[in-house]
Amino acid sequence: MSDCLFCKIAEGQIPSNKVYEDELVYAFRDINPQAKTHVLIIPRKHIGSCAEINGENSKIIAHIFEVIPKIAKSEGLVNGFRVISNCGPDACQSVHHLHFHILGGEQMSDKMA
Ligand code: DGP
């Protein structure tokens, strides 16, 4: 999508602090970290949110979930980590390109909402 912030980040048009990339996904540090380690992983292909996951794009989602433990390992998140995707207004999604937050590096709250 031409006017999508995360499409531009994945394409290198907007700078980011890269953590991982391959042909399907791009991962980078969140600009406003909510934990000691806060990485975002996104598909290169524009998918708006979890609400747009379907049989046509679910292979990319499966790939994201194969990459997440690799990132967790390379970030040293040996004591656990949290994966969150905000979907839609009730969940306060602010960037409308599917992304998964990977949070860790410290003890987090047992509350998720
Ligand atoms: P969400 O609220 O779930 O849609 O999360 C969007 C996240 O994206 C939020 O934690 C802040 C992050 N973010 C927004 N703009 C930028 C940016 O330009 N660069 C980086 N690295 N992160 C951004």
Side-chain angles (χ1 to χ4, degrees):
M1 239 174 101
S2 59
D3 200 28
C4 169
L5 172 66
F6 283 0
C7 283
K8 288 179 181 166
I9 285 179
E11 286 163 12
Q13 292 172 23
I14 291 177
S16 65
N17 199 339
K18 181 176 79 177
V19 171
Y20 175 92
E21 70 175 328
D22 63 28
E23 69 283 0
L24 292 177
V25 305
Y26 186 78
F28 55 105
R29 297 199 190 281
D30 195 290
I31 204 167
N32 180 26
Q34 305 286 317
K36 194 169 167 200
T37 300
H38 187 166
V39 173
L40 300 172
I41 182 166
I42 64 174
R44 289 190 183 279
K45 177 185 162 68
H46 185 86
I47 300 170
S49 75
C50 283
E52 294 181 16
I53 296 172
N54 57 39
E56 308 241 307
N57 59 31
S58 57
K59 279 206 170 89
I60 300 173
I61 310 306
H63 182 66
I64 286 174
F65 277 85
E66 288 175 24
V67 169
I68 285 173
K70 292 183 189 171
I71 291 173
K73 191 172 180 191
S74 68
E75 291 291 312
L77 304 180
V78 291
N79 213 33
F81 56 93
R82 182 170 284 165
V83 179
I84 294 174
S85 188
N86 294 318
C87 178
D90 276 6
C92 302
Q93 181 181 4
S94 61
V95 179
H96 298 280
H97 180 127
L98 176 64
H99 51 283
F100 294 90
H101 299 257
I102 306 168
L103 299 147
E106 62 183 273
Q107 180 64 58
M108 286 174 282
S109 162
D110 63 354
K111 293 184 172 52
M112 283 189 287

